[in-house]
Amino acid sequence: MQDLTKLKFEEFPINVPNEKKTIKKLSQLVEELKAANDVQKIIKVINKFHKYTEKLSTDMAVISIRYSLETNNPDIKAAQDKCDEISPLISNVSTQFAKILVESPFRPELEKKYGSYLFKMAEANLKSFDEKIIPELIQENKLVSEYDSILGSAEIEFRGETLNLSQLGKYTQDVDRATRKEAAKAMDKWMGEHEERIGQIYSELVLLRDKMAKKLGFERFTELGYLRLGRTDYNPEMVANYRKQIAETVVPVAQKLYKQQMKSLGIKKPQYYDYALHFKSGNPVPAGDEKYLVEAGHKMYSDMGKETKEFYEMMMDRHLMDLTARKGKTTGGYMSYLPAYKAPFIFSNFNGTDGDVNVLTHEGGHALQAYLSRNIKVPEYQSPTLEACEIHSMSMEFFAWKYATDFFGKDAEKYKYLHLSDAIEFLPYGISIDEFQHWVYDNPNATHAQRCEKWREIESRYTPHKRYDDTPTYAHGAYWIRQSHVFGSPFYYIDYTLAQVVAFQFLVEMNKNREKAFKKYIKLCKFGGQAPFVTLLEKNHLRNPFEDGNVAKVVKPLVKLLKTFDTSKF
């Protein structure tokens, strides 16, 4: 029998799920579960269900990855379309399966074996899904895929080259202000040319989601959106209070950093594109090309420990990283997990900036957690909810500081200062996206123009330094249309900020005792998703960002740390 854990990515077959066979098999398992009349029989059916859905989710993940690599391949697009159509049908049968478990007279015995959290997750899924919303879910998937395709197919003429959005991003950080301005205008022009359709897609998505929520008995989509993200131990009110902490504690710090940055650059009337350049001498640049950086990553993960070395060498040997920006490839970066192959996959678009290194650390952190949790027997516990997932990635970015010289050479200290200041400055933008989404779903019938107006109003409060005089699309408030999470994963974006506040704690602990902090980090990765976010923090002795005062306690030592850098040398 073939060992799936040895296959290289290009050897992974593309298996498009057959709708009739898939639903028939899942329905059979539902009937078997109904007929099971003792705990052992139920456990046997659960094991069969897990085995089948593991293969199914792997096949669909392979197709999703292939599509993001080749959005212009008609065969791959057809496969992705089929997955978009079948996934709500799979959810429907899976929900029936979960309902039987939740209502089982043997639930107390099953909770002893699997833990109560599994059933809480199932209850959240039951509240967030019903077969009557399948048509809307299919349409939602198709609209998100269309948005991804529009961004992935971008071809922008710039100084004799045809670039995609990721490739153009390099020039927005250029030392030459005229180059930054020209790149920003080119991007703004492309966004303006596609704004109408992108705005329509979002309007359709918002109305679809609002319709689904009302069909399920919710007042608005917000409640449904939180359930879809598995948020069982915090709510919008707690998030609003967290945003308030960021506004009061972090926004003033970030504004001070921005003013210092422009002063050092000698720019008196800065535009939004000026903030992408942090130093007169230029932003830190990786010390080598993609091949060099991948090898530097190998050196880092090998030095960190035996398990991290095994993990990274497995990623290299099995070709589980696609990092090169090219035509037809969608934007951004991500980690996807393929359970049948016990393998994570890292997707990115290297463009010669410090972001290339952050891929190997950030997405590498995600992949490491997936690898370390791969043998947790209950699949639902292998990965935590999304805000907890981001702790693994953002914390790894800080643990990588020790190896900054390997990645950046003479720019190592410059990179560390930029990385930390950037992370602090990101928080106000993160809460802007979140507050915007809450407003959108509170006002689902708003027009695109009204959404843009609201975005500018929110921006002016949390990031008042931004000016868009040279970029008319962004000037009227359309900057948010480039944020893919707003389209594909409503309410997800705040997760990055929550995780950042937790990752900051690892940075502080790392500076006190690196070995102890890293052991704590590896333990967190191995814990997987065996508890919801707030409980996970408690079990791993980490501060809860929702509690009043905790954001200030976390940020205060970081401000002191920034002052230890001699920025005059940068």
Side-chain angles (χ1 to χ4, degrees):
M1 188 176 175
Q2 190 178 33
D3 185 355
L4 298 181
T5 64
K6 302 295 183 186
L7 291 180
K8 293 178 171 60
F9 179 72
E10 61 269 23
E11 297 171 328
F12 295 178
I14 296 177
N15 298 317
V16 183
N18 179 286
E19 184 178 314
K20 285 186 179 179
K21 287 181 181 178
T22 301
I23 301 307
K24 183 181 178 182
K25 177 63 177 176
L26 288 169
S27 298
Q28 285 175 349
L29 291 169
V30 168
E31 292 306 314
E32 283 185 42
L33 187 63
K34 280 181 184 175
N37 53 12
D38 65 49
V39 172
Q40 290 309 312
K41 287 178 181 175
I42 291 172
I43 290 170
K44 281 184 180 179
V45 179
I46 290 172
N47 290 339
K48 285 165 71 175
F49 183 83
H50 283 159
K51 188 175 181 180
Y52 183 74
T53 53
E54 180 183 79
K55 182 185 182 306
L56 189 60
S57 64
T58 299
D59 288 340
M60 294 176 76
V62 168
I63 291 168
S64 177
I65 292 168
R66 297 275 191 191
Y67 179 63
S68 62
L69 294 171
E70 302 177 70
T71 60
N72 52 1
N73 183 320
D75 294 332
I76 300 293
K77 186 180 186 306
Q80 182 61 50
D81 287 344
K82 178 56 67 176
C83 289
D84 288 345
E85 290 169 8
I86 196 175
S87 62
L89 304 177
I90 293 168
S91 295
N92 182 35
V93 187
S94 298
T95 301
Q96 294 171 30
F97 194 90
K99 192 170 189 292
I100 296 167
L101 283 179
V102 165
E103 296 175 353
S104 170
F106 301 102
R107 178 168 169 173
E109 293 95 320
L110 292 169
E111 284 197 13
K112 283 181 183 177
K113 179 173 177 61
Y114 295 108
S116 61
Y117 180 43
L118 181 67
F119 292 84
K120 287 177 182 174
M121 283 194 279
E123 286 170 343
N125 288 336
L126 288 171
K127 290 176 185 174
S128 64
F129 183 86
D130 189 283
E131 62 182 331
K132 61 191 173 188
I133 65 169
I134 288 176
E136 287 83 7
L137 287 168
I138 292 172
Q139 184 61 16
E140 181 184 25
N141 286 340
K142 288 183 176 180
L143 286 166
V144 173
S145 290
E146 183 186 349
Y147 171 81
D148 289 340
S149 180
I150 290 172
L151 265 64
S153 62
E155 294 184 0
I156 304 171
E157 296 301 318
F158 185 79
R159 296 185 174 179
E161 292 184 278
T162 302
L163 306 175
N164 64 22
L165 291 169
S166 299
Q167 291 166 327
L168 184 62
K170 175 182 178 178
Y171 295 98
T172 64
Q173 299 184 15
D174 200 274
V175 176
D176 178 47
R177 195 178 190 213
T179 300
R180 294 200 304 276
K181 180 177 178 178
E182 189 179 342
K185 290 180 76 170
M187 191 174 287
D188 184 82
K189 181 175 180 289
W190 186 89
M191 286 290 178
E193 289 166 355
H194 295 82
E195 181 186 0
E196 184 177 357
R197 180 55 194 149
I198 292 174
Q200 287 173 350
I201 289 172
Y202 193 58
S203 290
E204 290 173 41
L205 281 169
V206 170
L207 291 172
L208 265 177
R209 289 165 178 158
D210 187 64
K211 184 179 178 182
M212 282 190 276
K214 288 182 166 64
K215 272 191 174 184
L216 293 175
F218 296 102
E219 186 179 340
R220 59 176 65 85
F221 174 74
T222 306
E223 297 98 317
L224 175 57
Y226 272 54
L227 284 172
R228 294 202 322 188
L229 290 169
R231 295 175 178 174
T232 58
D233 60 353
Y234 66 94
N235 57 38
E237 289 72 34
M238 292 166 71
V239 171
N241 185 59
Y242 164 73
R243 290 199 307 264
K244 183 171 177 283
Q245 287 189 71
I246 297 293
E248 292 173 352
T249 303
V250 182
V251 169
V253 173
Q255 286 302 302
K256 191 173 180 182
L257 288 171
Y258 285 128
K259 285 177 183 176
Q260 289 172 350
Q261 179 187 350
M262 289 302 107
K263 185 178 179 181
S264 67
L265 290 175
I267 298 175
K268 293 182 178 178
K269 293 183 178 179
Q271 293 294 308
Y272 93 94
Y273 51 76
D274 289 315
Y275 294 95
L277 177 70
H278 287 258
F279 313 102
K280 265 189 175 179
S281 60
N283 286 359
V285 177
D289 58 11
E290 180 182 318
K291 184 180 178 182
Y292 172 89
L293 293 179
V294 169
E295 188 49 48
H298 182 206
K299 182 180 177 182
M300 177 183 79
Y301 284 106
S302 297
D303 184 71
M304 283 178 167
K306 183 172 179 286
E307 288 175 305
T308 49
K309 180 177 187 289
E310 289 172 355
F311 147 73
Y312 196 79
E313 289 180 350
M314 181 272 299
M315 297 291 288
M316 293 174 72
D317 294 344
R318 297 177 66 191
H319 303 169
L320 293 166
M321 296 185 281
D322 191 300
L323 309 173
T324 308
R326 58 182 176 271
K327 184 179 177 180
K329 193 174 175 182
T330 196
T331 56
Y334 64 76
M335 185 284 295
S336 184
Y337 183 62
L338 304 157
Y341 301 112
K342 291 191 180 295
F345 183 90
I346 292 177
F347 169 98
S348 186
N349 288 273
F350 274 23
N351 61 3
T353 68
D354 63 303
D356 296 351
V357 175
N358 292 337
V359 167
L360 295 174
T361 57
H362 182 100
E363 303 303 341
H366 282 310
L368 175 64
Q369 182 275 315
Y371 177 78
L372 293 176
S373 299
R374 69 194 184 284
N375 293 322
I376 292 177
K377 290 183 178 179
V378 181
E380 292 88 346
Y381 288 161
Q382 287 178 355
S383 178
T385 44
L386 295 175
E387 71 289 277
C389 283
E390 297 302 338
I391 300 171
H392 312 126
S393 55
M394 291 178 163
S395 299
M396 179 55 80
E397 291 177 30
F398 290 125
F399 283 114
W401 275 20
K402 179 182 175 183
Y403 311 93
T405 302
D406 293 327
F407 288 116
F408 290 99
K410 62 180 176 57
D411 280 350
E413 289 301 301
K414 185 193 280 190
Y415 166 74
K416 287 192 277 188
Y417 178 85
L418 170 61
H419 182 211
L420 180 53
S421 59
D422 232 13
I424 292 170
E425 291 165 355
F426 164 72
L427 297 178
Y429 174 70
I431 65 168
S432 299
I433 290 287
D434 187 67
E435 185 170 318
F436 173 69
Q437 290 185 93
H438 278 84
W439 180 86
V440 164
Y441 290 105
D442 283 347
N443 301 274
N445 295 306
T447 64
H448 176 68
Q450 287 171 326
R451 290 185 188 122
C452 290
E453 184 182 347
K454 184 62 181 179
W455 172 251
R456 282 301 289 133
E457 184 264 309
I458 293 171
E459 265 195 323
S460 67
R461 282 189 281 116
Y462 297 138
T463 51
H465 61 287
K466 288 187 176 179
R467 296 287 182 274
Y468 301 104
D469 296 341
D470 304 313
T471 47
T473 307
Y474 294 160
H476 72 243
Y479 188 91
W480 60 271
I481 68 172
R482 59 185 281 172
Q483 194 63 62
S484 61
H485 306 73
V486 172
F487 292 77
S489 307
F491 298 115
Y492 172 21
Y493 209 68
I494 197 71
D495 294 11
Y496 290 108
T497 75
L498 290 165
Q500 189 69 79
V501 170
V502 179
F504 282 150
Q505 297 174 52
F506 276 108
L507 173 60
V508 173
E509 290 183 29
M510 177 184 86
N511 286 334
K512 292 176 181 175
N513 187 326
R514 181 184 172 85
E515 185 180 351
K516 184 179 177 183
F518 194 68
K519 280 183 180 178
K520 183 175 179 177
Y521 169 75
I522 293 295
K523 180 187 172 189
L524 177 70
C525 289
K526 289 181 176 179
F527 187 78
Q530 297 177 77
F533 179 60
V534 174
T535 309
L536 179 140
L537 295 179
E538 290 170 0
K539 287 182 177 293
N540 289 277
H541 309 292
L542 293 160
R543 289 187 190 276
N544 177 0
F546 297 122
E547 289 184 9
D548 281 331
N550 272 352
V551 171
K553 288 174 185 174
V554 170
V555 172
K556 190 176 179 180
L558 303 180
V559 175
K560 288 182 181 178
L561 180 57
L562 281 173
K563 289 177 181 177
T564 65
F565 288 89
D566 184 359
T567 56
S568 66
K569 293 180 179 179
F570 302 155

